Amino acid sequence: MTPFELAEPRTLREAVALLATGETPVRAIAGGTALMLMMKAGVFQPARLVSLRRVAAHHSEIVATPDGGLRIGAMATLSSLAHSAVVKQAAPVITQTLKTLSNVRVRNVATLGGHLAHGDPHMDLPPVLTALGAQVRTLSPAGERTLAVGVLYTGYYETVLADNELITEVIVPPQTGWRAAYMKITTRAADDWPTLGVAVSLQMESNTVKDARIVVSAATNTPVRLTAAEDTLRGASLDVATLTRCGDAAVSGVDLAADAHGSTAYKCELLRVYTQRALRQIVAAS
Ligand SMILES: Cc1cc2nc3c(=O)[nH]c(=O)nc-3n(C[C@H](O)[C@H](O)[C@H](O)COP(=O)(O)OP(=O)(O)OC[C@H]3O[C@@H](n4cnc5c(N)ncnc54)[C@H](O)[C@@H]3O)c2cc1C
């Protein structure tokens, strides 16, 4: 590993001022679980790393908002999210997802901000947070902005974040009337990287679906909303015919990439089947 400077600012404003504004390879480092792997592999050689360790104490709070939503500091570790009673209460699908997201050693140091900013399409929480309608707040020298998690990703490991822009907070809106499920399909251990991820969130009015969000990930370059599949659900009751129509529409609405975890045909079948299983899980829990 080539030598680099390590800056340890005490505030987020100092941190964004220290981040790259030109050619120099400068990056923030939070838990370091993704960045250190890239450095060890030689695909990223920083001139300077801006550690967020000293700002963590002020930006890792997990708070239930009065309306029933959540405000989560970007430096909250994935373990703290997994064990949070307020997260379990407001959005149990997040708690459930974290059970098989990597392993406890990674979860203990990895942060929500680093998880969302990394842009790896195999990450488990971006599709879940997109389905929940969550937003990120960011800070850069240009000021603050709020973005839907669903618009954060532009390509494989690419986001809309500027080089000197940090995620400061994640906002999960109240989920009153909504129910969600996430299906992580792996071909090896249950906590392996997903071959395919499907997140579903439904707003129900008695037995009828009022609104729906369905998001696929891992076999796509970014998390993708399956709008054609969502359309099959609005105004429908969740009977077998609707589930079948929805599964078929999910597959028709997206291009899935083959890789070492499976062919495109295999992943299409996974998507068809697991979209329906997610819907069934929501019905069973209602
Ligand atoms: C063995 C292993 C198995 C894994 N398995 C899974 C899995 O099954 N599912 C899954 O979803 N993930 C998995 N992961 C990935 C893991 O979730 C990520 O490595 C982790 O969430 C990244 O968070 P971090 O804080 O360590 O980020 P870092 O490594 O510190 O940073 C990652 C990137 O985000 C940037 N960054 C960090 N914080 C911020 C911020 N606040 N604002 C803007 N940019 C920021 C950094 O500059 C860097 O570019 C696995 C990782 C490992 C090592």
Side-chain angles (χ1 to χ4, degrees), residues 202-223:
L202 297 183
Q203 188 184 33
M204 301 292 294
E205 212 165 55
S206 89
N207 285 334
T208 306
V209 179
K210 208 171 151 205
D211 203 357
R213 299 190 200 107
I214 306 179
V215 187
V216 64
S217 63
T220 47
N221 281 350
T222 64

Side-chain angles (χ1 to χ4, degrees), residues 12 27-38 52 74-75 78 100-103 106 109-118 120 122-126 161 165-168 184 191-194:
L12 280 178
R27 282 281 181 93
I29 180 162
T33 58
L35 203 60
M36 290 308 288
L37 287 184
M38 295 178 81
L52 302 181
M75 297 299 296
L78 299 185
T100 56
L101 193 160
S102 183
N103 58 59
V106 171
V109 288
T111 64
L112 183 58
H115 184 86
L116 293 179
H118 191 48
D120 181 337
H122 300 91
M123 299 281 196
D124 288 304
L125 286 177
L161 298 173
E165 185 171 22
L166 287 174
I167 297 174
T168 57
K184 171 175 180 162
D191 61 357
D192 191 15
W193 291 95

Side-chain angles (χ1 to χ4, degrees), residues 61-73 84-91 132-135 137 169-176:
E61 253 190 346
I62 304 172
V63 180
T65 54
D67 60 2
L70 292 168
R71 257 190 28 235
I72 306 169
S84 163
V86 291
V87 170
K88 193 172 180 183
Q89 170 76 33
L132 295 179
Q135 296 177 312
R137 291 226 170 104
E169 197 170 58
V170 176
I171 314 289
V172 181
Q175 300 297 311
T176 321

